[in-house]
Amino acid sequence: RPPRPGHQGYDGRVMSEPDSIDALAEEGDVALEDGEYETALEIFDEILDRDPEHWGAALGSAECLHMLWRTEEALEAVRALTPPEEEEDDPDRADLEGRILEALGRFEEADRLFAEATRLEAEDYPPAVRLGAEDFRALLDTVLSSLPSVIRQAVIEVPVVVEPKPTREMADREPAINPEVLGLFVGTPVGEKVNAGGGYGDVVLLFQRNLERAGRSREEVSREIKITLFHEYGHYLGFDEEELEHLGLG
């Protein structure tokens, strides 16, 4: 469990009672941002032990459950924060519930929550750029034609498959992915070629609904598709995360 006040915190510093909750909340936010979801969940739950009404920790805990594929628990947690009917919802809460419902494949319900988050705070939660399957494929084809020849050749060898969202079944095969990833290379990088398993063979998966929410316009979605393809085909070509970051494709 996280340390008690006056003991060392997660980053090794000593925390005093007055600022311990604020310090823990900051550490939890950093861990969540860095993808350390188990650590962040421990921290947020420690805060809630001390202050059960701490809004940021409650939302953070639900978000961690979502990112860890503990989806039903996440939905229960975020719905426990729903305000009474006579009060306005919180846009952060509405957006999170929408994303959790998306992970469950309940897209119509999710879109109603996203619309509510947009109504409440359009600057932070702009409407998603929703595209039909054919329109998204046309946009993808335009992006593919603009890629460098080495990537276009890789596309011939490793096709692109579009899926609405990552699923728990995918995560069971590829534990590093979470419900919000934009794309995923499944297979064996060049130079390590053996008979790759995993159900798909060698493919790059693009997750349409996540990509649609990653941009505020069709042009921004197109750019996100391009960056995601560079990143995932970079994995196929043997680049690790550090090398991709160095190339600006992290």
Side-chain angles (χ1 to χ4, degrees):
R1 291 182 62 81
R4 298 296 178 183
H7 290 71
Q8 285 194 335
Y10 287 88
D11 59 0
R13 59 188 168 75
V14 175
M15 298 181 295
S16 61
E17 179 70 43
D19 69 353
S20 61
I21 287 181
D22 287 344
L24 277 175
E26 184 176 344
E27 290 173 17
D29 289 341
V30 170
L32 178 58
E33 183 72 22
D34 289 345
E36 298 173 0
Y37 305 125
E38 294 280 7
T39 298
L41 182 60
E42 277 190 53
I43 295 171
F44 291 134
D45 286 351
E46 169 67 11
I47 294 169
L48 292 170
D49 283 346
R50 302 184 193 183
D51 179 5
E53 302 300 316
H54 196 290
W55 178 262
L59 269 184
S61 179
E63 173 113 20
C64 291
L65 293 169
H66 167 55
M67 300 300 269
L68 290 166
W69 294 100
R70 293 167 60 178
T71 313
E72 294 290 351
E73 292 175 76
L75 185 60
E76 182 179 357
V78 78
R79 284 185 166 171
L81 301 173
T82 305
E85 277 191 23
E86 64 272 13
E87 295 182 16
E88 289 247 273
D89 203 349
D90 177 87
D92 296 336
R93 195 216 67 80
D95 177 76
L96 178 55
E97 183 178 344
R99 289 188 284 120
I100 294 167
L101 288 167
E102 264 196 332
L104 291 166
R106 294 159 61 175
F107 297 148
E108 289 187 11
E109 293 173 77
D111 284 340
R112 287 196 290 271
L113 269 293
F114 293 141
E116 179 65 2
T118 299
R119 185 187 72 80
L120 293 165
E121 188 56 71
E123 182 61 30
D124 291 339
Y125 298 106
V129 183
R130 293 297 182 208
L131 303 169
E134 289 186 7
D135 199 12
F136 188 88
R137 186 71 219 190
L139 188 60
L140 172 58
D141 288 343
T142 300
V143 172
L144 288 170
S145 68
S146 73
L147 297 175
S149 59
V150 65
I151 302 293
R152 293 202 306 273
Q153 181 59 40
V155 173
I156 295 172
E157 299 163 1
V158 179
V160 180
V161 174
V162 179
E163 297 281 3
K165 286 281 294 185
T167 65
R168 181 58 193 262
E169 291 71 29
M170 293 177 193
D172 288 341
R173 295 195 299 267
E174 300 287 339
I177 73 168
N178 64 61
E180 303 300 330
V181 296
L182 304 182
L184 177 69
F185 165 63
V186 179
T188 306
V190 169
E192 300 177 18
K193 274 296 175 191
V194 292
N195 291 326
Y200 279 97
D202 281 7
V203 297
V204 165
L205 299 172
L206 293 182
F207 300 113
Q208 180 172 339
R209 287 183 67 90
N210 290 352
L211 283 159
E212 289 169 345
R213 286 193 291 107
R216 293 173 178 247
S217 66
R218 187 185 177 92
E219 292 71 25
E220 288 187 8
V221 172
S222 176
R223 184 168 66 249
E224 291 295 336
I225 292 173
K226 188 169 189 175
I227 292 170
T228 302
L229 289 172
F230 270 119
H231 184 100
E232 301 310 328
Y233 281 105
H235 282 307
Y236 169 68
L237 295 170
F239 294 106
D240 61 22
E241 290 291 342
E242 186 175 333
E243 290 168 323
L244 289 168
E245 288 285 351
H246 181 70
L247 293 169
L249 301 173

